[in-house]
Amino acid sequence: MNKLLIEQVRQILSEEDKLAALCNLTALLYSETPNINWVGFYFHKKGKLILGPFQGKVACTQIDIGKGVCGTSFQNKLLLNVSDVHEFPGHIACDSASNSELVIPLTVNNVAVGVLDIDSPLFNRFELEEEETFLEVAKFVSEKLAA
Ligand code: SME
């Protein structure tokens, strides 16, 4: 786990305003994570996942629950580490440069409220250690959302 990054994440999330904190968090993750082309949030609103704070190219604003990597991760409350997105049924290609993707559900009181989504132009980009780092980030974000 990247302890320095986690410490920076905690500092950024100490900002009281949740939206401002998450905006800065995406900027931190984007600048500190090598070989990614998109990082951001989708949040559950009225039966859909709606785009939240992010860094990267313009992305789709609404995702149906159960669709694509994000919708599937959200529906099943399951981390998805997809080494080749082109092999994932129903993958939604927001940026054609993306080849692998890590999606982590955000839960509050065991209810899914959104996802953290990270895309990479490399295949098989996200190794176990990094998966653990982003899991920790998602845990802190979930705590912030619950507060
Ligand atoms: N690829 C995602 C869509 C979101 S973008 O990558 C920003 C998916 O299949 O759910």
Side-chain angles (χ1 to χ4, degrees), residues 38 42 59-60 63 67-71 90-94 98 101 117 119:
W38 201 92
Y42 283 90
C60 35
I63 296 175
K67 301 288 181 199
V69 188
C70 291
H91 166 251
I92 301 160
C94 290
S98 298
E101 183 164 2
D117 180 20
D119 288 19

Side-chain angles (χ1 to χ4, degrees), residues 97-109:
S98 298
N99 283 317
S100 63
E101 183 164 2
L102 177 65
V103 181
I104 303 175
L106 304 168
T107 58
V108 173
N109 299 324

Side-chain angles (χ1 to χ4, degrees), residues 2-72:
N2 184 336
K3 292 211 167 129
L4 177 62
L5 182 71
I6 293 298
E7 189 45 46
Q8 291 172 301
V9 168
R10 289 176 77 120
Q11 276 177 19
I12 279 176
L13 290 179
S14 68
E15 158 59 44
E16 190 181 349
D17 186 277
K18 292 175 188 177
L19 181 57
L22 293 185
C23 288
N24 264 343
L25 180 58
T26 59
L28 173 78
L29 296 176
Y30 193 67
S31 61
E32 295 304 312
T33 311
N35 297 314
I36 64 170
N37 58 324
W38 201 92
V39 58
F41 295 96
Y42 283 90
F43 290 110
H44 185 216
K45 280 184 201 157
K46 298 179 184 169
K48 290 200 175 233
L49 290 177
I50 307 294
L51 183 64
F54 74 96
Q55 298 271 310
K57 283 192 179 168
V58 169
C60 35
T61 52
Q62 304 199 8
I63 296 175
D64 289 332
I65 309 299
K67 301 288 181 199
V69 188
C70 291
T72 305

